[in-house]
Amino acid sequence: MILVTGASGTVGSEAARLLAAQHQPTRALVRDVSRAPRADIEIATGDFDRPDTLDAAMRGIETVILVSPAVPAQEIAVIASATRQGVRHIVKITSKASADSPVERRRGQAQIEAYLETSGLSYTLLRANAYMQNLLALAPMIKQSGGFLMSAGDGWVGMIDARDVATTAATVAASPGAHAGRTYWLTGPDLITYNDVAKELSDALGHPVEYRRTTPAEHQSAMIQAGVPETVATSNAQAFGLIAEGDAAWLSDNVVSLTDTAPRPLRTFINDHIAAFT
Ligand SMILES: NC(=O)c1ccc[n+]([C@@H]2O[C@H](COP(=O)([O-])OP(=O)(O)OC[C@H]3O[C@@H](n4cnc5c(N)ncnc54)[C@H](OP(=O)(O)O)[C@@H]3O)[C@@H](O)[C@H]2O)c1
């Protein structure tokens, strides 16, 4: 049986739905049962901060799709529980992790990966580029003011629809043996800039959407003013500044080679989420 953590979130909910559609025995871990994915699967309630609930959710599980906000202590607790409960394989969703990254959450991912490496469990790392779903956070500003603030300059991003991250995770989890010890780099089909985002949104909405350039420092302040927690705003602003410097300008064919399905382009993402922007 496969356990999907973070199953009320962006990647986890889609992975759980896909596994259910494939009739894979699946259990979804959520902390609030009202947010569980609507699919024909088992639901376990648990909290990353409560190891007893993790142990209960982990019983009888062979493979875990590990997705969460990636707080190191929490994911390490999930891996420790998996080890205790005899899980064989972990499919970990991660990013461009690095122990010396200026971005705190990338250092956190590196800490989790280091723990996973020493856990003795078999594992696969899915290292994803930025999610198209992040654009949904820009929707209120676009609706209100016809544009969005961004500090990514003209940096290219191999932006990926998180649904394709979920498809890849579900594919790997369904037959993990072939992917043990492997790291896959997941991207969308194209390198795009935030100019392309503005253009695609303008075309889809039928009115101009303006890309308002700002610096990472100003962007950080604006995000904090808009209610984004300071640590998240700081990491976001750092990541956007790195994008401007070319840090996200990478593409890979791993999604299509693993799933036999081409990753969705930005236009598809926008068309599928047009209601959020109107
Ligand atoms: N965003 C990007 O551009 C990007 C790019 C590359 C990699 N990633 C990686 O993707 C992962 C995040 O994936 P996502 O966007 O699918 O996450 P998400 O939508 O934020 O979902 C997080 C999930 O974790 C659950 N959760 C939070 N705290 C919990 C707790 N204490 N106990 C149990 N469950 C808890 C949430 O439950 P509730 O619904 O109850 O809150 C939710 O189901 C991270 O590892 C991140 O580094 C993101």
Side-chain angles (χ1 to χ4, degrees):
M1 177 168 282
I2 298 168
L3 179 74
V4 182
T5 71
S8 55
T10 309
V11 172
S13 60
E14 178 72 3
R17 268 193 296 273
L18 290 167
L19 289 165
Q22 294 160 16
H23 306 292
Q24 291 283 349
T26 301
R27 189 179 295 158
L29 179 70
V30 291
R31 55 179 168 176
D32 173 357
V33 84
S34 73
R35 291 176 47 71
R38 284 188 196 90
D40 187 17
I41 49 174
E42 279 185 27
I43 305 297
T45 48
D47 194 305
F48 300 141
D49 292 321
R50 290 191 43 208
D52 57 320
T53 65
L54 298 176
D55 283 353
M58 218 54 89
R59 279 189 200 115
I61 295 294
E62 289 187 348
T63 301
V64 175
I65 295 179
L66 176 53
V67 56
S68 84
V71 174
Q74 293 183 338
E75 285 209 9
I76 285 170
V78 176
I79 297 164
S81 171
T83 311
R84 282 194 297 276
Q85 298 300 322
V87 167
R88 290 207 192 134
H89 191 96
I90 298 217
V91 182
K92 170 160 168 53
I93 310 299
T94 186
S95 60
K96 205 171 169 188
S98 160
D100 55 10
S101 171
V103 184
E104 184 185 357
R105 61 180 171 229
R106 292 191 185 175
R107 295 197 300 276
Q109 289 284 26
Q111 197 183 333
I112 298 161
E113 291 179 16
Y115 184 85
L116 184 55
E117 263 175 47
T118 58
S119 69
L121 295 173
S122 164
Y123 67 88
T124 307
L125 299 179
L126 301 184
R127 213 180 274 301
N129 211 319
Y131 296 168
M132 292 177 188
Q133 276 71 3
N134 298 343
L135 300 175
L136 296 171
L138 306 176
M141 195 187 295
I142 291 167
K143 283 196 280 195
Q144 213 176 17
S145 70
F148 60 85
L149 202 65
M150 183 48 65
S151 52
D154 291 320
W156 299 105
V157 189
M159 208 180 279
I160 182 167
D161 190 317
R163 291 175 293 180
D164 295 317
V165 177
T167 308
T168 311
T171 304
V172 171
S175 56
H179 307 290
R182 305 290 300 271
T183 296
Y184 298 113
W185 295 75
L186 308 186
T187 74
D190 306 305
L191 286 178
I192 56 179
T193 67
Y194 280 87
N195 284 313
D196 299 319
V197 170
K199 184 175 180 317
E200 289 286 356
L201 281 168
S202 303
D203 289 351
L205 292 169
H207 62 74
V209 172
E210 188 192 3
Y211 170 16
R212 301 185 189 121
R213 289 150 186 275
T214 185
T215 64
E218 284 169 359
H219 198 185
Q220 179 190 16
S221 307
M223 284 187 276
I224 292 169
Q225 261 181 3
V228 177
E230 191 169 342
T231 49
V232 177
T234 303
S235 276
N236 284 353
Q238 284 172 325
F240 292 133
L242 287 173
I243 287 175
E245 294 167 16
D247 173 78
W250 47 277
L251 285 180
S252 142
D253 64 359
N254 283 171
V255 170
V256 69
S257 61
L258 288 163
T259 67
D260 282 334
T261 309
R264 295 165 173 89
L266 179 64
R267 181 162 298 180
T268 302
F269 170 81
I270 289 176
N271 288 337
D272 290 350
H273 294 82
I274 197 72
F277 296 97
T278 47

